[in-house]
């Protein structure tokens, strides 16, 4: 919301923030409803709403035919979500994704670009800034008008937006990612670990809506883990939550079941770990029993690795996310069966519907939370 003039009273600013917040939370509201919810007089609400209309933060709803039949109806207003925009960026091992949304989270534009893990850090930073510029050019708003840019990246990320350690991207360890991107993008930049943002996205718009304690397993070209505890993404003592590390019994080397299958079926075809997994999943869905066994073995070994987290954490739900979540019940059912045998309170297991967009979508939510604090928090 635009800053009030220097002589505006604190009470006026408090009331303006309250009215705007009520508008955001309501689909449609009359002046009387706004005044009652914000605990201000109706004349005060009317003056504030006129200001919000002039500034573009609110819009008046058109009258319907039924309204005209009743005579002069009460004026109705709603929050104008298109008055501001945020950007969410996902930085993966080989792909960059970016999306622009309005302040209600409706996607206006989305783009992706490929990059190589060995790309110099400076080139990757430039590629991120170029992708943000390109997706905003498609969406309409200028970079300087964006409320915030959220960025999710692989690696351990501290509270200042610095990448403490990354084994997936060259030159990323020790990088002040927030600072470097802020020099390239003329908008507020926020940075966090990709798995924390993925589980945030699930809690916002995915399988974890309404859940408080969730384990999120990312499956794609690599494995990652996100934890939702008490309804909030867990950071850990060293901001390293989401980094799996080594597992006893090499449980996280489960991909070998599907890579060995792909090599046995087509020995002359070179595939990445993810491509081999997708090949096996497609063949299993087509009825290949050998492929189905390979996918089942993969799922069971994932489940065995998850037990070391699930049993002590006691979550309500385990979400299988990332690009391999398209396997659906081929992954979910073996894990669910294992949990029923090995857990005192077996959690539900579900495949994510967010696919590879989960990190960028979580980065959008991170940026929207920043926008909410900036626009709707009452000033002190």
């Amino acid at each position: 919301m635009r800053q009030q003039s220097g002589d505006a009273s604190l009470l006026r600013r408090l009331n303006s923030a309250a009215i705007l917040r009520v508008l955001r939370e309501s689909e449609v509201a009359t002046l009387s409803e706004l005044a009652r919810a914000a605990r201000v007089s109706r004349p005060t609400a009317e003056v504030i709403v006129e200001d919000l209309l002039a500034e573009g933060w609110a819009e008046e709803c058109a009258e319907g035919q039924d309204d005209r039949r009743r005579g002069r109806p009460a004026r109705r207003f709603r929050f104008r979500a298109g008055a501001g925009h945020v950007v969410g960026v996902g930085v993966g091992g080989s792909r960059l994704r970016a999306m622009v949304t309005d302040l209600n989270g409706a996607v206006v534009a989305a783009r992706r670009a490929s990059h190589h893990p060995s790309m110099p850090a400076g080139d990757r930073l430039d590629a991120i800034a170029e992708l943000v510029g390109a997706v905003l050019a498609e969406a309409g708003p200028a970079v300087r008008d964006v409320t915030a840019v959220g960025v999710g990246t692989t690696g351990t990320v501290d509270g200042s937006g610095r990448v403490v350690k990354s084994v997936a991207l060259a030159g990323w360890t020790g990088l002040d990612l927030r600072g470097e991107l802020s020099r390239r993008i003329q908008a507020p930049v926020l940075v966090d670990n990709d798995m924390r943002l993925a589980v945030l996205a699930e809690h916002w718009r995915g399988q974890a809506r309404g859940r408080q304690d969730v384990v999120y397993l990312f499956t794609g070209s690599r494995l990652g883990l996100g934890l939702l505890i008490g309804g909030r993404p867990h950071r850990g003592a060293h901001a390293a939550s989401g980094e799996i590390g080594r597992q006893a019994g090499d449980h996280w080397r489960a991909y070998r079941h599907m890579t060995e299958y792909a090599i046995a079926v087509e020995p002359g075809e070179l595939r990445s770990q993810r491509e081999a997994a997708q090949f096996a999943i497609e063949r299993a869905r087509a009825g290949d029993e050998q492929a189905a066994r390979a996918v089942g073995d993969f799922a069971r070994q994932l489940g065995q690795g998850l037990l070391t987290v699930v049993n002590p954490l006691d979550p309500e739900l385990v979400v299988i996310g990332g690009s391999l979540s398209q396997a659906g019940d081929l992954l979910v059912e073996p894990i669910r069966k294992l949990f029923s045998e090995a857990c005192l309170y077996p959690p539900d297991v579900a495949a994510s519907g967010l696919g590879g967009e989960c990190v960028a979508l979580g980065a959008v939510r991170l940026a929207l939370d920043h926008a909410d604090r900036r626009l709707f928090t009452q000033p002190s």
Side-chain angles (χ1 to χ4, degrees):
M1 184 168 55
R2 190 176 63 188
Q3 292 292 323
Q4 301 287 332
S5 60
D7 59 350
S9 69
L10 175 60
L11 181 60
R12 174 64 177 274
R13 287 183 286 131
L14 287 169
N15 289 339
S16 295
I19 290 287
L20 186 60
R21 188 174 62 255
V22 173
L23 269 179
R24 170 68 179 277
E25 294 170 352
S26 307
E27 288 187 13
V28 175
T30 65
L31 285 173
S32 296
E33 290 167 341
L34 290 171
R36 185 165 52 252
R39 298 182 179 181
V40 299
S41 69
R42 191 181 185 283
T44 296
E46 186 170 13
V47 170
I48 291 172
V49 168
E50 290 300 330
D51 286 346
L52 294 176
L53 288 170
E55 294 172 3
W57 291 108
E59 58 187 3
E60 188 167 359
C61 302
E63 294 180 10
Q65 186 174 3
D66 291 341
D67 294 328
R68 289 192 292 271
R69 287 173 181 170
R70 290 195 298 266
R72 184 179 180 183
R75 297 172 69 191
R76 297 176 301 167
F77 307 91
R78 64 186 166 212
F79 175 69
R80 185 169 168 266
H85 295 83
V86 301
V87 182
V89 180
V91 182
S94 60
R95 192 170 287 116
L96 304 174
R97 289 182 170 89
M99 59 179 66
V100 180
T101 77
D102 65 17
L103 294 179
N104 280 342
V107 178
V108 179
R111 285 203 172 199
R112 62 182 63 181
S114 297
H115 71 101
H116 196 275
S118 62
M119 176 186 289
D123 291 348
R124 184 177 297 107
L125 291 164
D126 291 341
I128 294 170
E130 289 170 8
L131 184 62
V132 170
V135 75
L136 281 171
E138 181 179 338
V143 176
R144 64 180 178 275
D145 295 328
V146 170
T147 306
V149 177
V151 180
T153 181
T154 177
T156 302
V157 181
D158 67 17
S160 70
R162 181 180 298 274
V163 182
V164 178
K165 184 177 182 181
S166 174
V167 297
L169 300 176
W172 229 230
T173 296
L175 181 71
D176 179 9
L177 183 56
R178 183 178 183 180
E180 291 292 341
L181 288 178
S182 294
R183 282 189 277 276
R184 291 168 169 83
I185 301 171
Q186 300 305 306
V189 177
L190 310 165
V191 177
D192 207 341
N193 170 263
D194 54 357
M195 293 301 98
R196 284 195 289 272
L197 295 186
V199 77
L200 181 64
E202 288 293 336
H203 192 236
W204 179 35
R205 287 194 169 169
Q207 296 284 5
R209 279 177 290 189
R211 307 295 187 111
Q212 295 298 301
D213 297 289
V214 177
V215 172
Y216 172 88
L217 178 67
F218 178 88
T219 61
S221 56
R222 61 189 177 88
L223 294 173
L225 202 65
L227 302 177
L228 189 79
I229 300 178
R232 299 175 62 87
H234 182 59
R235 294 186 61 83
H238 303 92
S241 176
E243 300 301 310
I244 289 177
R246 292 182 61 87
Q247 277 276 313
D250 287 333
H251 289 311
W252 300 124
R253 295 185 60 194
Y255 281 94
R256 73 176 185 274
H257 297 289
M258 296 188 291
T259 55
E260 289 172 359
Y261 164 79
I263 292 172
V265 173
E266 294 183 354
E269 189 73 25
L270 293 177
R271 291 184 173 89
S272 68
Q273 188 168 260
R274 180 175 60 188
E275 290 169 341
Q278 291 172 332
F279 174 73
I281 289 168
E282 289 170 4
R283 294 287 292 261
R285 288 218 172 276
D288 186 320
E289 293 184 3
Q290 186 182 355
R293 284 195 296 273
V295 176
D297 290 341
F298 169 71
R300 280 185 289 274
Q301 196 157 3
L302 288 181
Q304 289 168 0
L306 284 169
L307 282 175
T308 62
V309 177
V310 167
N311 272 329
L313 185 60
D314 185 29
E316 306 164 72
L317 174 70
V318 171
V319 178
I320 309 300
S323 60
L324 301 189
S325 62
Q326 64 183 298
D329 284 348
L330 290 174
L331 292 183
V332 167
E333 287 305 321
I335 295 174
R336 184 178 287 149
K337 184 175 184 296
L338 178 66
F339 287 171
S340 69
E341 297 169 352
C343 298
L344 180 61
Y345 297 101
D348 192 12
V349 184
S352 172
L354 302 181
E357 305 299 326
C358 55
V359 177
L361 194 59
V364 163
R365 184 65 260 175
L366 180 70
L368 286 174
D369 288 343
H370 172 84
D372 286 354
R373 290 190 296 271
R374 177 183 171 192
L375 298 174
F376 311 120
T377 300
Q378 295 181 355
S380 58

